[in-house]
Amino acid sequence: PVHPTAARPLPITVQSENVAYSDEHIVSKFFNRGSEAVFANGMYSVKPVSKPFEFQTTRKVSKTGLMMVGLGGNNGTTLCATILANRHGISWHTKNGIQQPNYIGSVLRASTVSIGTNPATGKEVYVPISSILPMVHPNDLVLGGWDISGLPMDKAMERAKVLDWDLQRQVAPHMAEIGKPLPSIYYPDFIAANQEARADNVIPGSDKQAHLEHLRADIRAFKQKHALDRVVVFWTANTERYSDIIPGVNDTADNLLAAIKASHSEVSPSTLFAVASILEGEPFVNGAPQNTFVPGVIELAERHQSFIGGDDLKSGQTKLKSVFAEFLVNAGIKPLSIASYNHLGNNDGHNLSAEPQFKSKEISKSSVVDDMVNANRLLYKPPAEGAKGKAAKGEHPDHIVVIKYVPAVGDSKRAIDEYYSEILMGGRSTINIFNECEDSLLATPLILDLSILAELLTRVKYRDLSNGAQTEFKPLYPILSLLSYMLKAPLVKPGTDVVNSLSRQRNALEAFLKACIGLEGNGDLLLETRIW
Ligand code: NAI
């Protein structure tokens, strides 16, 4: 039997004058309802607004390849083995009995949304999110990618020590078919020195322009070999140190392209992969915390209307924090400090034991409560007018993050968080959370969700009907902030606010997918249950 999370979803048809189905497209009319609020003369003045849009979704799902950078790592091998076990229906023995493959932990495959109420029973009807619009099934993804370690995939899975042996044993021949990862670019300065021993599969030379062209050729060749419509390139390689942002080097698209030509030392491997993907017109997602998306990359993505998303997978501690901090602040309780400790023993932890790489992770983990604090200036004083630097954030809870490498615990990361809060009349509350995050098993479904959503969003176009004029459909803005739910430090359109709250991120995704089929997003009012 196929596990329900791996089953093919049933289609949905919406009967509405706002939705039209053709063989090729679903076109929906959508009113973006909101309000404009201003504060003047000692009062708030609010005006409801409603702007009409149209969304056009191509129904035919692209034949999609997923090329991972860091294919031979814990995430890369776990993802490949998971897909292959699902695809080939491999079940295995554990000490608890027979285990079936599944996609638990994937929002798209294993969580549901309400599409309405059944009038006969009055009960809400829930469907998998993947039923809302046509999406790639993970079993159909064509797998490939790069690694600086040339260990073949069956052996790399063994090295990762993530999956049960009886599963590894059965899936190994399929993993061996993927073979050896493509050679990658290795600039030792960007990852920890302790990774050097792995780097036996590197593209020779130090000419960054030649490296860029090599990566572009790899993407094209993979696409051609497997007759793909689309390739998603996904960075799940080691965390790099931050790149310095240097005027004239990586601050604009043209400067960045020139810096690559000049093999400038501040252009990181991940930035080169991002540039290669953008120039090939294929989506690129950054699953690690470093600042791959220097301003020049963002400008290049805008210029080529090519999709990018990031940064850093939100799998364990930060995911919990983006729920827990919101719960406290929205309950009117004031966190005074959040102290987070982690220890882990996998290769990611080994790499993060070096200071510059830890710094990248620290930054990405740190901003997660900012939006909740900003939304509640009853509890936290706003910044003084004209405040600069740290003071520009206004009052803020103390927030620290510590990460230690403890080889013995392997992939099973332990995270301890203390939330120390002010409660009524000067009282204090302390909540401690101990969280064991099976790292790669939590991260793998996020890579799937991000890749599947990235492909979907390349098929959604929109037009603004505000002026009544029939303008052309155009693609979404290149920074895919709709991917935020799965990301620790979501990249958003410059000048717009980051939303870290997990529930708001999920609501946004649900509302967007539903808008594409002409349904209202949030039905939580449930008015019929409140009235006579
Ligand atoms: P890993 O260390 O097992 O795998 C990373 C792989 O990348 C290694 O095989 C390494 O040889 C390869 N690599 C390094 N530099 C490369 C380059 N320039 N080109 C190609 N390959 C390169 O790490 P893991 O656990 O798979 O994590 C991968 C990334 O995802 C890390 O940056 C980690 O911080 C990030 N991440 C992981 C999460 C998790 O829960 N597992 C959560 C959030 C982020």
Side-chain angles (χ1 to χ4, degrees), residues 74-75 147 184-185 198 236-239 312 347-348 361 439:
N74 285 22
N75 287 347
D147 203 295
S184 191
I185 41 177
R198 272 175 104 100
T236 179
N238 285 140
T239 296
D312 206 9
N347 189 53
D348 180 30
K361 207 44 137 190
D439 234 8

Side-chain angles (χ1 to χ4, degrees), residues 19 26 49 56 113 139 351 375 383 463 492 505:
V19 186
I26 304 171
V49 288
Q56 181 201 60
V113 288
N139 286 7
N351 183 61
R463 66 182 171 199
V492 299
Q505 292 168 335

Side-chain angles (χ1 to χ4, degrees), residues 201-221:
N201 189 41
V202 303
I203 304 170
S206 54
D207 179 341
K208 295 195 177 183
Q209 180 68 31
H211 287 169
L212 174 66
E213 276 152 26
H214 189 116
L215 299 179
R216 292 186 63 179
D218 283 345
I219 298 171
R220 274 199 300 271

Side-chain angles (χ1 to χ4, degrees), residues 69-76 146-149 159 184-187 191 195 198 235-240 269 273 287-290 312-315 346-348 351-352 361 411 413 438-440 442-443 488:
V69 193
L71 181 65
N74 285 22
N75 287 347
W146 304 261
D147 203 295
I148 55 170
S149 158
R159 173 178 62 187
S184 191
I185 41 177
Y186 175 52
Y187 306 148
I191 59 174
Q195 298 297 309
R198 272 175 104 100
W235 181 275
T236 179
N238 285 140
T239 296
E240 297 174 332
F273 273 96
Q290 72 278 338
D312 206 9
L313 303 169
K314 181 158 72 172
S315 56
N346 55 16
N347 189 53
D348 180 30
N351 183 61
L352 294 176
K361 207 44 137 190
D411 206 56
K413 179 165 75 190
E438 287 267 358
D439 234 8
S440 305
L442 289 174
K488 264 207 266 291

